[in-house]
Amino acid sequence: MLRPVRTDRRTQPSHPGTPRGVRLPLLAAAVVAAGLTAACGPSTQPVGSAAPSAASPSPELSAASATESATPSPEASPTASASASASVSATLRPGSSPSSPAKAGSAATGTQAKPSRTADAAQPAAVPGPGYDSSADAQKLIDAALRTAKSEGRMVLLDFGANWCGNCKAADKVFAQPQTAAILGDSYRVVKIDIGGNSSANSALLRKYSPSGGTYTMPVLLVVSPSGSIRTDTHVTGNPSLTAEGINSFLRKWAS
């Protein structure tokens, strides 16, 4: 039996409680929260604890930042590079190099330098060539030879002769031989004086250094000490054999 419908009965909402206008925003918020949780993973932060401050970087980030700041930039300024190079150079000893090998003969080898010698004492004295120069000022040559011989510790050999003298030419040939030239260069200053011409000055020099007079047999060889004293005079003793053996023996005997 059908009952009549009451017209005064009000239709009730199917879900009492939350209004429909409020349910939609809550649903959207739930979807957003679910998406963030899936992307970032569950939070390890205890409930109720404060979230990390954005101003305080994590320990890993701080260490990386410190390492990066300590590493010099490729675009470092020339002044900073020069300062670094200067500080490295200051730690090296003078004359040393961090990468290059020691050079032979340089100060880096540690060898103590020897005292320098004068140019004249560093090499043998030059021996005059054959013959006699009639235009030379013989007295000046003798004076200069005596001064140099004194500073070098050598003797002076005075050779009085003439360009036309056969014995003088024979002596010149021996003087030019290597062994004889080495003895003369190491131990003597040689002055050759021409007495074969008309030079009265040179003849006076012969009588000054060989005053015994008489007839002179050329060549006349005199060995004079740096102080000017005569050590030997062949006008008195006679000439040695004009061979390499005879002249070398004569020169060695009076060299010291």
Side-chain angles (χ1 to χ4, degrees):
M1 184 175 186
L2 299 175
R3 293 180 180 180
V5 178
R6 297 175 62 181
T7 57
D8 58 348
R9 187 177 181 180
R10 296 180 181 179
T11 303
Q12 298 293 332
S14 58
H15 298 284
T18 305
R20 181 177 295 179
V22 177
R23 288 203 306 270
L24 291 177
L26 290 178
L27 180 59
V31 172
V32 173
L36 292 175
T37 302
C40 303
S43 175
T44 58
Q45 197 71 17
V47 178
S49 62
S53 173
S56 301
S58 63
E60 294 81 358
L61 182 59
S62 299
S65 300
T67 304
E68 184 178 356
S69 61
T71 304
S73 171
E75 300 178 356
S77 65
T79 305
S81 301
S83 301
S85 301
S87 63
V88 172
S89 302
T91 61
L92 300 176
R93 292 181 298 176
S96 66
S97 174
S99 57
S100 60
K103 297 181 180 179
S106 65
T109 59
T111 305
Q112 187 175 8
K114 296 181 179 180
S116 60
R117 301 174 60 189
T118 62
D120 290 333
Q123 54 186 340
V127 179
Y132 301 85
D133 184 3
S134 59
S135 64
D137 189 332
Q139 183 63 69
K140 285 186 177 180
L141 294 177
I142 294 173
D143 293 341
L146 289 172
R147 288 193 302 270
T148 306
K150 186 175 183 180
S151 64
E152 296 174 346
R154 305 177 194 242
M155 297 296 169
V156 175
L157 176 66
L158 302 182
D159 177 358
F160 291 88
N163 291 320
W164 46 261
C165 168
N167 284 344
C168 299
K169 293 178 181 180
D172 279 342
K173 290 181 180 180
V174 177
F175 290 161
Q177 294 182 14
Q179 187 176 16
T180 307
I183 297 172
L184 287 171
D186 290 340
S187 303
Y188 292 90
R189 283 285 173 176
V190 182
V191 180
K192 297 174 73 69
I193 302 130
D194 180 28
I195 56 174
N198 297 321
S199 174
S200 58
N202 289 355
S203 297
L205 281 175
L206 175 61
R207 291 190 297 270
K208 172 184 177 181
Y209 286 99
S210 179
S212 58
T215 301
Y216 294 90
T217 302
M218 297 183 291
V220 180
L221 303 176
L222 294 95
V223 176
V224 185
S225 70
S227 62
S229 61
I230 306 300
R231 303 200 65 197
T232 188
D233 175 5
T234 61
H235 176 58
V236 176
T237 64
N239 277 328
S241 173
L242 300 179
T243 62
E245 183 179 357
I247 291 181
N248 290 350
S249 178
F250 171 82
L251 294 174
R252 289 192 185 100
K253 178 179 179 179
W254 302 106
S256 58

